Amino acid sequence: MNTSDFRKHAHELVDWMADYFENVEDLPVLPDIKPGDILKQLPNSAPEKAESFDAIFKDFKDVIMPGITHWESPNFMAYFPANKSKASVLAEMLMSTLGSQCMIWLTSPSAAELEEQVMIWIREMLGLSDEYTGVIQDTASTATLSALLTAREKVTNFSINKEGFNEQKFTVYASSEIHSSIEKAVKIAGFGASQFRQVSVDENFAMRSDILAETIEKDIADGFTPVCVISAIGTTSTTAIDPISKISEICKKHKIWHHVDAAYAGTALVLPELRWMAEGVDDADSFVFNPHKWMFTNFDCTAYFVKDPVALVNTFTITPDYLKTSVDEEVKNYRDWGIPLGRRFRALKLWFVIREMGVEGIQKKIREHVALGKWLAKQVIDHPDFELMAPVPLNTVCFRFTSAKEDRLDDINEQIMNTINKSGRLFFTQTKLLDQFTLRLAFGNTNLEAYHVENAWNLIQEVSKIHKQDA
Ligand code: PLP
């Protein structure tokens, strides 16, 4: 493709992208297709001969688009959002045009220095202590694994990196509501799933710090070495807030690494009125949140903050001759701050987003989303046919339909969800709370407005009425 063709096609694509943003709300959120429907339309082998860009773009529209789940739709209320903003999409265009591989300072000095500064901005925006140093990672899963590996090396004086595991048995702690990425990280870091303690939660689905303290003490008495406690500001099911302050205290007492997983809810700390959630976070050792979830920066972009960056770098550093540079003593070579060597220029999109929205613009959106969560929670509480299943500190609402025989409630709630999701008008998912099938809606989409939430609630009531007659 020559540059003039590139210019022409890029303009076509940008027009298509702008149309998509304008119309996505009218598209079915979930595609109405069966497994294999897309695969069977794709050729078995790669084309021998070059194809025209027009042919490729046509197939994108005809074959690929019908199988897309529209995360961009404000009617997407499933999981946690992977939200974005137009400024972030434009920055991604520049990132891929530059193709910078930001493994060391020399391979893109602007990328390294912008990352350093943007992470200072974010630290201030969230009200975190300046004892934290930030680095951008691809996902919260990677950041949490980095925290576990650093904690492991720190507690063993970097001996596992050198000699591998010996007889010493380590333990890791999190609540029973923690995200699956933590369990995965425990396995990958070599601790063994049986050394992972899932501490029970209270009636608000937050970790019981008294049980954490007892479990740690028993483990120490039994000869284990506790390595890390992972707490959550905003669990995946219900956005429960663990007692960060008490957990930090316990960790300090026993010299255990405290890692705070705020993958989704971390963005809400831009609001001073919500900083109560993070009380004690400045006494922790590391903190992670995903701008790619709720800070309008498209996937992937994770902000990881650590108190002891020297320990982090010592855990990962390996300097082959071909990566040495004359400025290594003066600069941050971020390849040593995480697992992969290669790194995208993610700081660029964060910089675009923060500047284009301003801190006030981000705060305004987050405030609106939280207000919508509270609004739906109130509707549910006031409705005789529904029950709120968990507190709503932010914008994720867990509830269920209850006007039917108890033994049919799980099935009916599942049917309500499936009927609505199949309609394409809304997409949300379920969770299980106290062993009960629970409807769960999260309101973090960039373009979400009050009427989307009102429509969602009306639809749920409408479909539930049918099931009430059936019950
Ligand atoms: N932690 C929590 C609380 C989450 O909700 C999620 C994802 O939803 C993760 C971690 C994992 O995030 P990532 O996909 O960035 O690894």
Side-chain angles (χ1 to χ4, degrees), residues 256-308:
I256 303 170
W257 186 288
H258 180 192
H259 173 65
V260 181
D261 175 9
Y264 178 60
T267 298
L269 301 179
V270 293
L271 298 183
E273 66 267 29
L274 289 178
R275 298 238 172 106
W276 59 265
M277 300 189 300
E279 207 190 310
V281 80
D282 286 342
D283 293 321
D285 296 278
S286 52
F287 171 90
V288 64
F289 88 102
N290 283 342
H292 71 224
K293 278 187 162 53
W294 200 11
M295 202 182 260
F296 315 106
T297 308
N298 52 305
F299 192 83
D300 52 6
C301 186
T302 288
Y304 177 52
F305 290 91
V306 65
K307 285 271 186 66
D308 187 350

Side-chain angles (χ1 to χ4, degrees), residues 80 138-142 179 181-182 234-236 261 263-264 290 292-293 299 302:
F80 281 140
D138 54 3
T139 59
S141 305
T142 308
H179 188 259
S181 58
I182 280 104
T235 57
T236 311
D261 175 9
Y264 178 60
N290 283 342
H292 71 224
K293 278 187 162 53
F299 192 83
T302 288

